[in-house]
């Protein structure tokens, strides 16, 4: 029995030594790859906000409601924007103060409302902004262009990121007199897309919208959107 235990221990020590030797010969390289693809935008989004101040909260809220109702009417009736693409993002009621000679003075009660809008027909964007600008005292902000379906370009960006990682590994391996055998580990990085934020160069004047709309039409440059992906890969070298 004692001889058997000694033989088994010797075999284990031999196997461990062989594994250590094999590990010492293993060569790897770790690189990070990236890839990006561009896509044309096919939709836009922006925010509309109204703010009214009156002597009482009820009066201020009524004025803001009336103005926001007109915004909603224009978007839904004139441009057929559906309810799913209109979302209330904020409603605030608060007192408004000013400082006169170091003293806080109440100016009135303020009602503020904001609406998020999606325009899926990009050809309508300039007209939508022009038409909304006929309502005095509203704010249009955070105008950005986007693409409804980015799944295909996201996949392309991932493939390009992997190809970039492999090309880098081959460069380093070739310089060291080795060759790339294949990936040992693959760690997916982030996939990002960058929307274009734009600002209309002109908005129609509210008082003379009908007469001035042809001269004050909103315009913008769409450009392309960029989708990027990154990956970290460890390759075996031989």
């Amino acid at each position: 029995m004692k001889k058997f235990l000694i033989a088994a221990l010797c075999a284990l020590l031999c196997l461990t030594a062989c594994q250590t030797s094999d590990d010492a010969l293993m060569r790897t390289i770790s690189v990070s790859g990236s890839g990006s693809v561009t896509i044309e935008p096919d939709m836009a989004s922006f925010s509309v906000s109204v703010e009214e101040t009156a002597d009482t909260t009820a009066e201020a809220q009524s004025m803001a409601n009336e103005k926001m109702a007109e915004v909603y009417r224009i978007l839904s009736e004139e441009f057929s924007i559906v309810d799913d693409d209109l979302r209330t993002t904020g409603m605030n009621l608060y007192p408004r103060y000013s400082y006169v000679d170091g003293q806080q003075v109440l100016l009135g009660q303020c009602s503020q409302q904001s609406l998020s809008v999606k325009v899926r027909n990009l050809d309508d964007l300039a007209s939508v902004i022009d038409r909304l600008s006929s309502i005095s005292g509203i704010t249009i902000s955070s105008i950005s262009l986007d693409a409804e379906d980015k799944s295909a370009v996201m996949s392309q960006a991932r493939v390009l990121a992997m190809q970039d990682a492999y090309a880098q590994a081959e460069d380093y391996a070739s310089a060291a007199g080795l060759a790339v055998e294949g990936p040992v580990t693959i760690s997916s990085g982030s996939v990002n897309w960058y929307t274009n934020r734009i600002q209309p160069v002109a908005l129609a004047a509210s008082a003379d919208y009908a007469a001035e709309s042809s001269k004050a039409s909103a315009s913008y440059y769409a450009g392309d959107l960029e989708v990027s992906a990154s990956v970290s890969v460890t390759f075996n070298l031989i």
Side-chain angles (χ1 to χ4, degrees), residues 51-58 60 92-99 104-112:
E51 185 175 300
E52 295 292 334
T53 302
D55 292 337
T56 67
T57 299
N92 300 293
L93 298 169
Y94 55 90
R96 170 163 286 172
Y97 295 96
S98 182
Y99 284 88
Q104 184 172 297
V105 177
L106 178 64
L107 297 179
Q109 302 298 322
C110 184
S111 174
Q112 185 182 60

Side-chain angles (χ1 to χ4, degrees), residues 177-193:
L178 301 170
V180 176
E181 183 179 29
V184 178
T185 62
I186 301 174
S187 299
S188 177
S190 59
V191 178
N192 301 305
W193 57 87

Side-chain angles (χ1 to χ4, degrees), residues 35-56:
S36 62
V37 181
T38 58
I39 182 175
E40 289 186 8
D42 57 20
M43 62 178 292
S45 63
F46 59 89
S47 177
V48 181
S49 59
V50 302
E51 185 175 300
E52 295 292 334
T53 302
D55 292 337
T56 67

